[in-house]
Amino acid sequence: MIDALANLHFLRPAWLLLIIPFALMSVMQWRRRDLSRQWEPVIAAHLLPRMIVPGSQRRLFSPFGVSILLSPLVVIAIAGPSWTRGDSPFAQDSAALVIAVDLSESMDSTDLQPTRLQRARDKILQLAESRGDAYTALLAYAGTGHTVLPLSNDSTVLLHYLDALRVGMLPRRGKAPESVVDSAMALLAQRSGGTLLIVGDGASDESADAFARLRETGDVQLLVWGMGRSQEELDADAARGLHSRAQPLQEEQLRAIADAADGYYRRLSADDSDLRDIQRRINRHYQLSEDSSRPWVDGGYHLLPLIMLLFVLWFRAGWVLRW
């Protein structure tokens, strides 16, 4: 009830101005019903109170009384009161998602067994399975970004392309997640927005500037999924005699990317908590985007039965003569 009152507004507020002529007509009709005013020009003032017999002229249940109630209802119905949203004509089965996977050399590190890339594949596979046939695209980047699979709701195709990703398969070395921003925005524009998920272990200090553009487009959400172990964890492993060929996870740079776009950074976890967190944020963004595109429902139609019922009174014999 509180939410309905907070959302109450009029779809056609200009029609509320109709209340002005209705109010003027009501005032004029009220003055006509005043017998004292009607006979003032004819009967002397000291005789007028004794010449007029008070009767049942001021009945509420009369055409005048009903019109006082009917006029505001008609004006409100025409103005289109609304407090709820209807179904969106552009609603999708689920959120559109673009996944960009880091294929730079550090993703072959073995601090996450068997490698960071394989662990990333496993997490993405679980995410894809939980999303079913939702629209998903796959990008890959190292020194440059490339579209591997455009938006598709065929999860089987996505899994085949994901399995084919290998470190070193892209033409330029490096770590430039910003190189996928343009492609991701173009893909998500086809579905009226969605989520860009960066899956990798680092970025350059200049990467965050490119992601700041996503802040200006409220229909694209940025999530960053960190794959790897920090320098402190690698040092602790070495102290225990566990040696792995790995560069530390660049969490500071990944957080900077997420912060630049008002996004969210989540590091890989051993359990499924990171997966559930990512999935929840993808769905929540979709629900917010869908809600903003849903049209407001015209609630004026709810007043029509009452308005029609009051209009039926005009069919009573002699009703219009009882003003």
Side-chain angles (χ1 to χ4, degrees), residues 11-318:
L11 301 179
R12 298 173 293 275
W15 285 97
L16 291 174
L17 295 176
L18 280 177
I19 201 67
I20 297 175
F22 277 130
L24 293 177
M25 288 167 37
S26 298
V27 170
M28 293 174 60
Q29 187 62 35
W30 179 82
R31 292 172 64 92
R32 288 181 56 190
R33 298 173 71 243
D34 191 344
L35 295 178
S36 299
R37 290 180 178 274
Q38 294 180 24
W39 290 102
E40 274 182 355
V42 180
I43 302 176
H46 65 284
L47 297 176
L48 185 59
R50 294 173 175 82
M51 297 294 293
I52 296 178
V53 179
S56 57
Q57 294 286 337
R58 304 289 183 180
R59 292 188 299 269
L60 178 61
F61 191 68
S62 65
F64 177 72
V66 173
S67 66
I68 291 296
L69 175 62
L70 185 60
S71 299
L73 290 177
V74 172
V75 172
I76 292 174
I78 295 175
S82 181
W83 57 90
T84 60
R85 291 183 181 271
D87 296 330
S88 172
F90 307 107
Q92 308 296 333
D93 293 334
S94 58
L97 173 65
V98 173
I99 303 173
V101 182
D102 184 358
L103 296 184
S104 61
E105 293 180 349
S106 60
M107 289 295 287
D108 251 347
S109 300
T110 58
D111 55 332
L112 300 179
Q113 293 295 322
T115 65
R116 290 179 179 178
L117 179 58
Q118 185 57 50
R119 288 293 295 276
R121 278 204 205 95
D122 294 340
K123 288 289 185 177
I124 295 173
L125 284 173
Q126 295 178 53
L127 178 62
E129 290 173 356
S130 66
R131 285 170 47 80
D133 291 332
Y135 278 91
T136 306
L138 183 63
L139 308 182
Y141 68 89
T144 56
H146 303 269
T147 300
V148 179
L149 176 69
L151 282 171
S152 171
N153 61 351
D154 189 338
S155 57
T156 303
V157 175
L158 172 65
L159 301 184
H160 284 306
Y161 277 95
L162 183 63
D163 188 60
L165 296 182
R166 297 287 186 274
V167 170
M169 67 182 298
L170 297 184
R172 183 178 299 176
R173 294 183 177 182
K175 193 179 293 291
E178 66 273 17
S179 60
V180 303
V181 172
D182 290 335
S183 299
M185 292 180 65
L187 289 169
L188 291 174
Q190 302 172 16
R191 310 300 297 182
S192 300
T195 298
L196 168 59
L197 175 61
I198 300 292
V199 183
D201 61 2
S204 68
D205 294 332
E206 294 77 26
S207 298
D209 294 337
F211 285 92
R213 287 184 296 159
L214 298 179
R215 188 197 300 262
E216 304 171 2
T217 60
D219 55 348
V220 176
Q221 172 187 221
L222 175 64
L223 302 178
V224 181
W225 209 346
M227 299 288 157
R229 296 169 66 82
S230 66
Q231 184 64 62
E232 292 78 9
E233 291 171 323
L234 293 175
D235 293 341
D237 289 344
R240 295 195 301 267
L242 302 175
H243 297 281
S244 60
R245 181 175 56 84
Q247 298 177 1
L249 174 66
Q250 298 177 315
E251 282 198 285
E252 182 178 350
Q253 288 85 347
L254 293 177
R255 289 185 185 277
I257 287 176
D259 293 341
D262 286 335
Y264 175 74
Y265 169 77
R266 176 66 195 236
R267 184 179 168 184
L268 174 82
S269 66
D271 55 14
D272 291 337
S273 60
D274 57 341
L275 178 65
R276 293 193 299 269
D277 192 12
I278 293 292
Q279 178 69 60
R280 183 175 64 252
R281 291 178 180 275
I282 293 172
N283 291 336
R284 185 176 65 181
H285 178 74
Y286 162 69
Q287 292 167 359
L288 292 174
S289 300
E290 182 200 13
D291 188 68
S292 64
S293 67
R294 291 162 56 196
W296 289 99
V297 176
D298 191 340
Y301 294 103
H302 298 298
L303 297 175
L304 287 182
L306 179 58
I307 293 173
M308 295 173 65
L309 181 62
L310 293 175
F311 265 117
V312 169
L313 295 174
W314 261 260
F315 290 92
R316 290 168 54 95

